[in-house]
């Protein structure tokens, strides 16, 4: 199956009221697990890396892992750069082969966020690359940047933002947070519906880890067409390694990283069911 842009997969999902799961990976085993799950369920899938994962793996190496797996995969796959704050790093990822990028200038004042996002969108679109952007603040911690009080996205500002920047995918802040939740997250469904009404583009749910499945499904019914899962995958991988290493006779990395791969695959299969993306390809 081809290595594609996320836009192709997500527009199809948006039209048909399901979501494409976007899974963060940190190593080869996690990337394999994600793709195995997608193949088993016949689901389109996005693999994504934060800039800190890019620092850890190397941008060319992250692309090499995914593109080589995609060449032999039975489902379409896109590689997305998650939460990138600078134009330069976005371009570096595109140059390395990423087919989809997020420019997160949500820390900047509104006008500056529009200006930077527009510049990224124009440049990336000229190369056929999908662009995601965010307005407002998703709470919690992502890649070392911590947001105390999530600022919810205003639907009118969202419309102005999407119209002026030309982004393909829009991530509104509706009460989700990165990392695990302390209590049950309070999601603002009315706001989500209003943002979809004003923007009309496929929407992205950040901080998918730990949101009850029913609430994720509600979000998808209201226009979410990409759901990000990072924390839960990291946790599943680490818990499996920790359990495998309880046996002190284990010394071969294949033994414990293999367990991580199995655990992540199992989790991805569950998330594919929540997204409604099984049997779509
Ligand atoms: Zn995020």
């Amino acid at each position: 199956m081809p290595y594609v842009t996320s836009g192709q997969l997500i527009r199809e999902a948006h039209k048909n009221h399901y979501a494409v799961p976007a899974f963060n990976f940190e190593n080869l085993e996690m990337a394999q697990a994600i793709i195995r799950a997608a193949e088993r369920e016949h689901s389109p899938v996005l693999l994504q890396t934060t800039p800190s994962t890019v620092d850890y793996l190397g941008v060319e190496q992250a692309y090499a892992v995914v593109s080589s797996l995609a060449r032999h995969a039975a489902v379409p796959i896109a590689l997305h750069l998650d939460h990138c704050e600078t134009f330069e790093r976005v371009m570096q990822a595109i140059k390395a082969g990423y087919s989809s990028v997020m420019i997160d200038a949500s820390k900047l004042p509104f006008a500056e966020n529009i200006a930077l996002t527009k510049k990224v969108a124009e440049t990336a679109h000229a190369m056929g690359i999908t662009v995601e952007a965010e307005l407002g603040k998703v709470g919690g911690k992502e890649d070392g940047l911590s947001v105390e009080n999530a600022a919810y996205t205003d639907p009118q500002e969202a419309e102005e933002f999407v119209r002026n920047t030309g982004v393909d995918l829009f991530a509104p802040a509706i009460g989700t947070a990165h990392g695990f939740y302390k209590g049950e997250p309070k999601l603002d469904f009315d706001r989500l519906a209003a943002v979809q009404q004003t923007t009309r583009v496929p929407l992205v749910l950040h901080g998918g880890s730990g949101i009850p499945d029913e609430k994720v499904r509600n979000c998808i019914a209201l226009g979410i067409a990409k759901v990000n899962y990072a924390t839960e995958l990291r946790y599943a991988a680490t818990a499996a390694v920790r359990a495998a290493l309880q046996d002190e006779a284990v010394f071969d990395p294949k033994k414990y990283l293999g367990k991580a791969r199995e655990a992540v695959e199992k989790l991805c299969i569950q998330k594919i069911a929540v997204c409604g993306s099984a049997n779509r390809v």
Side-chain angles (χ1 to χ4, degrees):
M1 275 284 195
Y3 173 69
V4 298
T5 67
S6 67
Q8 291 167 254
L9 303 179
I10 294 167
R11 274 190 295 275
E12 186 67 16
H14 193 235
K15 205 165 63 190
N16 293 295
H17 309 290
Y18 64 93
V20 180
F23 297 120
N24 285 67
F25 72 98
E26 325 292 336
N27 58 23
L28 173 65
E29 286 81 0
M30 290 177 78
Q32 289 174 317
I34 294 162
I35 292 173
R36 286 179 186 184
E39 285 182 318
R40 223 182 99 161
E41 298 303 309
H42 304 279
S43 169
V45 73
L46 265 64
L47 282 85
Q48 55 188 27
T49 57
T50 59
S52 77
T53 304
V54 169
D55 288 339
Y56 176 76
L57 292 176
V59 69
E60 287 175 29
Q61 289 70 22
Y63 170 71
V65 164
V66 173
S67 63
S68 67
L69 293 171
R71 248 194 317 277
H72 303 286
V75 295
I77 289 165
L79 174 60
H80 178 79
L81 179 67
D82 196 18
H83 285 287
C84 187
E85 297 189 4
T86 69
F87 181 82
E88 292 70 26
R89 292 206 74 170
V90 166
M91 290 309 134
Q92 207 179 40
I94 293 174
K95 199 169 153 227
Y98 278 60
S99 62
S100 177
V101 292
M102 176 188 192
I103 175 73
D104 180 358
S106 62
K107 277 204 290 208
L108 299 178
F110 188 57
E112 290 171 45
N113 185 350
I114 287 184
L116 176 55
T117 303
K118 185 176 183 216
K119 183 177 163 195
V120 167
E122 283 175 351
T123 314
H125 286 162
M127 294 180 274
I129 304 297
T130 306
V131 178
E132 173 185 338
E134 176 177 321
L135 185 63
K137 287 263 183 288
V138 175
K141 216 168 185 276
E142 172 98 11
D143 231 22
L145 80 162
S146 173
V147 178
E148 297 268 307
N149 294 311
Y152 286 37
T153 303
D154 175 77
Q156 292 314 320
E157 275 191 357
E159 188 280 328
E160 196 183 334
F161 181 82
V162 169
R163 178 166 40 83
N164 284 299
T165 57
V167 292
D168 308 281
L169 314 171
F170 179 69
I174 56 159
T176 62
H178 295 116
F180 278 123
Y181 296 91
K182 288 198 188 85
E184 174 143 333
K186 289 196 176 44
L187 305 189
D188 190 340
F189 294 114
D190 291 341
R191 185 178 299 271
L192 176 59
V195 169
Q196 178 64 108
Q197 187 78 32
T198 58
T199 61
R200 303 271 167 199
V201 295
L203 303 177
V204 181
L205 189 67
H206 281 248
S209 291
I211 301 178
D213 295 347
E214 258 335 287
K215 291 196 168 178
V216 174
R217 290 195 183 98
N218 289 344
C219 290
I220 294 169
L222 294 172
I224 291 290
K226 171 179 183 265
V227 181
N228 290 0
Y229 292 105
T231 305
E232 274 185 273
L233 270 67
R234 291 172 182 150
Y235 186 87
T238 303
V241 169
R242 197 174 278 132
L245 290 178
Q246 292 300 309
D247 179 352
E248 289 193 5
V250 169
F251 64 90
D252 181 346
K254 292 194 287 298
K255 294 279 188 247
Y256 54 88
L257 293 176
K259 292 289 183 198
R261 186 165 63 188
E262 283 169 23
V264 172
E265 180 181 345
K266 210 168 126 194
L267 181 62
C268 290
I269 288 173
Q270 289 169 20
K271 298 307 180 190
I272 286 169
V274 174
C275 287
S277 61
N279 300 313
R280 301 287 183 172
V281 289

